[in-house]
Amino acid sequence: MNTLQKMDPADYHARKTLYTVSKSSICDFAASPSRFKFAYDSGEKKTTDALAWGSLVDCLFLTPELVAKTYSITSLGLNKNSKNYKELKAGAEAKGRILIDSKMFDEASKAALILRHFAKENGIVVGETHESQVAMTYDVEVEGVKLELCGMADLFPVEPGNMVDLKTTGFNLADDEEVRRNIWKYRYHVQAAIYSAISNKIKPDFIKGFNLLMQESKPPYQCRMVRFTEDELYAGMSWFESQLVSYANCLQNDGWQAPLPALEGGLPSWALRREFEFGE
């Protein structure tokens, strides 16, 4: 089914199956089909401090009305080995909430406020110029396998314009090349290409471009906007389409456990050069 609608992020993530393909799932698959399938079958979820911080800032900035529903806040500190923590965590989870420390909440609130001001300076106001958390799905058939492409746009324009995705990051946003390296490393251009393609299939010519609204995860929480070029979107879509064919073949043939090829050479090239230099 082809849809474009505002959705609670929890509901969006709950509806995914092996036949639902997103940017994150195709990147995990590309890194290792067998590990991807194991994580899916076991229900394994990524949980890191960086992801927790990013999700909290996302919620405060994009959907502040969901904060009370999503989080339980404690001022008692979070010693994860303590009995008190385990009881508080269990109580929060019983209500479908995530337990966080009040200090983390306060810092994330500061970051969200800085982000809000920066976004406004760049013509972005949640609920006015852009709707937040808009889910999109589009049905395709690849190698005879029916798949649903999906994505969750952080900021979808009310009028024809640019879609915007929020990224919190630990790297230095003032360093142009570091920003570009990490965008390539995490394949954000692939996400930009997928989201643009899906949305324009449903609403032709509505999305004019794709921007990243980036913010550092440490004080002073500086922000930066990144605008993708048409060539970058084309490159992202080309990579995605090639991986999509491999993904469909795995689904069709249950080929998740392909053996890893033998590795010729056990040292990185720079290390080998250094060894020879020291030997001279």
Side-chain angles (χ1 to χ4, degrees):
M1 183 168 59
N2 303 333
T3 60
L4 192 65
Q5 61 182 340
K6 190 173 175 66
M7 185 180 291
D8 185 322
D11 295 334
Y12 167 76
H13 290 292
R15 59 182 298 282
K16 289 185 179 180
T17 72
L18 266 183
Y19 291 84
T20 306
V21 183
S22 65
K23 177 266 180 183
S24 58
S25 66
I26 203 70
C27 285
D28 288 345
F29 165 79
S32 171
S34 60
R35 291 183 67 179
F36 165 78
K37 184 62 161 52
F38 174 82
Y40 178 84
D41 290 342
S42 65
E44 180 181 87
K45 296 183 185 297
K46 295 178 182 176
T47 54
T48 66
D49 290 343
L51 285 173
W53 171 267
S55 297
L56 178 55
V57 173
D58 276 11
C59 192
L60 287 164
F61 175 62
L62 299 169
T63 53
E65 70 278 7
L66 296 180
V67 171
K69 172 186 173 183
T70 308
Y71 294 97
S72 289
I73 304 166
T74 176
S75 59
L76 300 178
L78 294 182
N79 177 357
K80 295 184 178 181
N81 294 318
S82 70
K83 178 182 178 182
N84 188 44
Y85 166 77
K86 293 174 182 177
E87 291 175 348
L88 289 171
K89 185 173 183 288
E93 290 176 348
K95 298 175 182 177
R97 297 175 185 166
I98 301 167
L99 181 66
I100 59 170
D101 184 88
S102 59
K103 291 181 180 178
M104 178 180 174
F105 181 82
D106 290 344
E107 281 301 308
S109 297
K110 293 176 188 176
L113 182 60
I114 292 169
L115 190 58
R116 193 170 295 115
H117 287 318
F118 179 83
K120 189 173 183 179
E121 290 173 355
N122 284 270
I124 300 168
V125 179
V126 178
E128 294 183 18
T129 64
H130 291 72
E131 288 294 335
S132 65
Q133 304 292 37
V134 175
M136 59 189 83
T137 62
Y138 189 75
D139 295 335
V140 296
E141 186 169 324
V142 181
E143 302 290 300
V145 179
K146 293 181 179 180
L147 300 170
E148 181 185 74
L149 307 185
C150 67
M152 172 71 85
D154 285 340
L155 293 162
F156 194 90
V158 173
E159 301 293 335
N162 289 0
M163 200 185 313
V164 181
D165 197 73
L166 173 61
K167 300 295 183 189
T168 55
T169 179
F171 57 82
N172 178 16
L173 289 179
D175 186 327
D176 294 1
E177 287 310 306
E178 187 173 3
V179 171
R180 291 185 175 116
R181 281 195 302 271
N182 279 279
I183 286 174
W184 178 82
K185 175 182 177 181
Y186 294 109
R187 299 201 181 276
Y188 293 150
H189 63 301
V190 174
Q191 178 186 5
I194 298 169
Y195 285 21
S196 299
I198 295 175
S199 57
N200 279 325
K201 287 286 187 181
I202 300 171
K203 297 185 75 170
D205 300 320
F206 193 84
I207 296 302
K208 305 302 182 183
F210 194 100
N211 298 346
L212 294 180
L213 174 53
M214 308 187 80
Q215 183 183 47
E216 292 180 2
S217 55
K218 294 181 180 179
Y221 306 121
Q222 64 180 346
C223 305
R224 192 169 191 183
M225 192 75 77
V226 177
R227 300 179 178 89
F228 286 107
T229 66
E230 287 297 321
D231 285 346
E232 289 167 341
L233 295 179
Y234 179 80
M237 183 52 69
S238 297
W239 182 88
F240 175 68
E241 288 174 344
S242 68
Q243 293 299 324
L244 203 57
V245 170
S246 299
Y247 188 85
N249 287 332
C250 275
L251 283 169
Q252 202 166 42
N253 305 315
D254 195 26
W256 310 98
Q257 298 295 333
L260 295 174
L263 182 63
E264 298 296 334
L267 292 176
S269 57
W270 61 263
L272 191 60
R273 287 195 302 271
R274 183 174 297 179
E275 292 295 308
F276 281 124
E277 288 170 5
F278 287 147
E280 292 177 355

